[in-house]
mmCIF file with all atom_site columns, all heavy atoms in Angstrom:
data_model
loop_
_atom_site.group_PDB
_atom_site.id
_atom_site.type_symbol
_atom_site.label_atom_id
_atom_site.label_alt_id
_atom_site.label_comp_id
_atom_site.label_asym_id
_atom_site.label_entity_id
_atom_site.label_seq_id
_atom_site.pdbx_PDB_ins_code
_atom_site.Cartn_x
_atom_site.Cartn_y
_atom_site.Cartn_z
_atom_site.occupancy
_atom_site.B_iso_or_equiv
_atom_site.pdbx_formal_charge
_atom_site.auth_seq_id
_atom_site.auth_comp_id
_atom_site.auth_asym_id
_atom_site.auth_atom_id
_atom_site.pdbx_PDB_model_num
ATOM 1  N N   . HIS A 1 299 ? 4.219  12.495 -11.773 1.00 0.00 ? 327 HIS A N   1
ATOM 2  C CA  . HIS A 1 299 ? 4.130  11.166 -12.335 1.00 0.00 ? 327 HIS A CA  1
ATOM 3  C C   . HIS A 1 299 ? 5.329  10.957 -13.287 1.00 0.00 ? 327 HIS A C   1
ATOM 4  O O   . HIS A 1 299 ? 5.210  11.075 -14.492 1.00 0.00 ? 327 HIS A O   1
ATOM 5  C CB  . HIS A 1 299 ? 2.798  11.020 -13.077 1.00 0.00 ? 327 HIS A CB  1
ATOM 6  C CG  . HIS A 1 299 ? 1.649  10.821 -12.145 1.00 0.00 ? 327 HIS A CG  1
ATOM 7  N ND1 . HIS A 1 299 ? 1.246  9.555  -11.713 1.00 0.00 ? 327 HIS A ND1 1
ATOM 8  C CD2 . HIS A 1 299 ? 0.834  11.673 -11.500 1.00 0.00 ? 327 HIS A CD2 1
ATOM 9  C CE1 . HIS A 1 299 ? 0.219  9.659  -10.882 1.00 0.00 ? 327 HIS A CE1 1
ATOM 10 N NE2 . HIS A 1 299 ? -0.044 10.962 -10.753 1.00 0.00 ? 327 HIS A NE2 1
ATOM 11 N N   . THR A 1 316 ? 2.277  7.826  -8.014  1.00 0.00 ? 344 THR A N   1
ATOM 12 C CA  . THR A 1 316 ? 3.434  8.589  -7.536  1.00 0.00 ? 344 THR A CA  1
ATOM 13 C C   . THR A 1 316 ? 4.177  7.861  -6.465  1.00 0.00 ? 344 THR A C   1
ATOM 14 O O   . THR A 1 316 ? 3.621  7.007  -5.781  1.00 0.00 ? 344 THR A O   1
ATOM 15 C CB  . THR A 1 316 ? 2.946  9.947  -7.043  1.00 0.00 ? 344 THR A CB  1
ATOM 16 O OG1 . THR A 1 316 ? 1.944  9.718  -5.979  1.00 0.00 ? 344 THR A OG1 1
ATOM 17 C CG2 . THR A 1 316 ? 2.383  10.818 -8.125  1.00 0.00 ? 344 THR A CG2 1
ATOM 18 N N   . TRP A 1 370 ? -1.033 9.247  -2.048  1.00 0.00 ? 398 TRP A N   1
ATOM 19 C CA  . TRP A 1 370 ? -0.438 9.129  -3.351  1.00 0.00 ? 398 TRP A CA  1
ATOM 20 C C   . TRP A 1 370 ? -1.382 9.627  -4.428  1.00 0.00 ? 398 TRP A C   1
ATOM 21 O O   . TRP A 1 370 ? -2.555 9.929  -4.165  1.00 0.00 ? 398 TRP A O   1
ATOM 22 C CB  . TRP A 1 370 ? -0.076 7.645  -3.633  1.00 0.00 ? 398 TRP A CB  1
ATOM 23 C CG  . TRP A 1 370 ? -1.225 6.732  -3.589  1.00 0.00 ? 398 TRP A CG  1
ATOM 24 C CD1 . TRP A 1 370 ? -2.028 6.273  -4.655  1.00 0.00 ? 398 TRP A CD1 1
ATOM 25 C CD2 . TRP A 1 370 ? -1.805 6.096  -2.411  1.00 0.00 ? 398 TRP A CD2 1
ATOM 26 N NE1 . TRP A 1 370 ? -3.027 5.479  -4.214  1.00 0.00 ? 398 TRP A NE1 1
ATOM 27 C CE2 . TRP A 1 370 ? -2.913 5.305  -2.859  1.00 0.00 ? 398 TRP A CE2 1
ATOM 28 C CE3 . TRP A 1 370 ? -1.470 6.119  -1.074  1.00 0.00 ? 398 TRP A CE3 1
ATOM 29 C CZ2 . TRP A 1 370 ? -3.690 4.590  -1.990  1.00 0.00 ? 398 TRP A CZ2 1
ATOM 30 C CZ3 . TRP A 1 370 ? -2.263 5.400  -0.174  1.00 0.00 ? 398 TRP A CZ3 1
ATOM 31 C CH2 . TRP A 1 370 ? -3.334 4.653  -0.630  1.00 0.00 ? 398 TRP A CH2 1
ATOM 32 N N   . SER A 1 371 ? -0.909 9.729  -5.660  1.00 0.00 ? 399 SER A N   1
ATOM 33 C CA  . SER A 1 371 ? -1.723 10.139 -6.796  1.00 0.00 ? 399 SER A CA  1
ATOM 34 C C   . SER A 1 371 ? -1.645 9.024  -7.864  1.00 0.00 ? 399 SER A C   1
ATOM 35 O O   . SER A 1 371 ? -0.602 8.372  -8.000  1.00 0.00 ? 399 SER A O   1
ATOM 36 C CB  . SER A 1 371 ? -1.281 11.463 -7.374  1.00 0.00 ? 399 SER A CB  1
ATOM 37 O OG  . SER A 1 371 ? -1.951 11.746 -8.610  1.00 0.00 ? 399 SER A OG  1
ATOM 38 N N   . VAL A 1 372 ? -2.733 8.834  -8.582  1.00 0.00 ? 400 VAL A N   1
ATOM 39 C CA  . VAL A 1 372 ? -2.763 7.905  -9.703  1.00 0.00 ? 400 VAL A CA  1
ATOM 40 C C   . VAL A 1 372 ? -3.238 8.596  -10.945 1.00 0.00 ? 400 VAL A C   1
ATOM 41 O O   . VAL A 1 372 ? -4.168 9.402  -10.914 1.00 0.00 ? 400 VAL A O   1
ATOM 42 C CB  . VAL A 1 372 ? -3.736 6.727  -9.377  1.00 0.00 ? 400 VAL A CB  1
ATOM 43 C CG1 . VAL A 1 372 ? -3.926 5.858  -10.588 1.00 0.00 ? 400 VAL A CG1 1
ATOM 44 C CG2 . VAL A 1 372 ? -3.158 5.903  -8.215  1.00 0.00 ? 400 VAL A CG2 1
ATOM 45 N N   . THR A 1 459 ? -6.262 11.216 -9.998  1.00 0.00 ? 487 THR A N   1
ATOM 46 C CA  . THR A 1 459 ? -6.866 11.150 -8.685  1.00 0.00 ? 487 THR A CA  1
ATOM 47 C C   . THR A 1 459 ? -5.788 11.261 -7.596  1.00 0.00 ? 487 THR A C   1
ATOM 48 O O   . THR A 1 459 ? -4.590 11.090 -7.867  1.00 0.00 ? 487 THR A O   1
ATOM 49 C CB  . THR A 1 459 ? -7.646 9.847  -8.461  1.00 0.00 ? 487 THR A CB  1
ATOM 50 O OG1 . THR A 1 459 ? -6.717 8.757  -8.650  1.00 0.00 ? 487 THR A OG1 1
ATOM 51 C CG2 . THR A 1 459 ? -8.786 9.727  -9.469  1.00 0.00 ? 487 THR A CG2 1
#
Side-chain angles (χ1 to χ4, degrees):
H327 284 270
T344 55
W398 59 95
S399 171
V400 171
T487 59

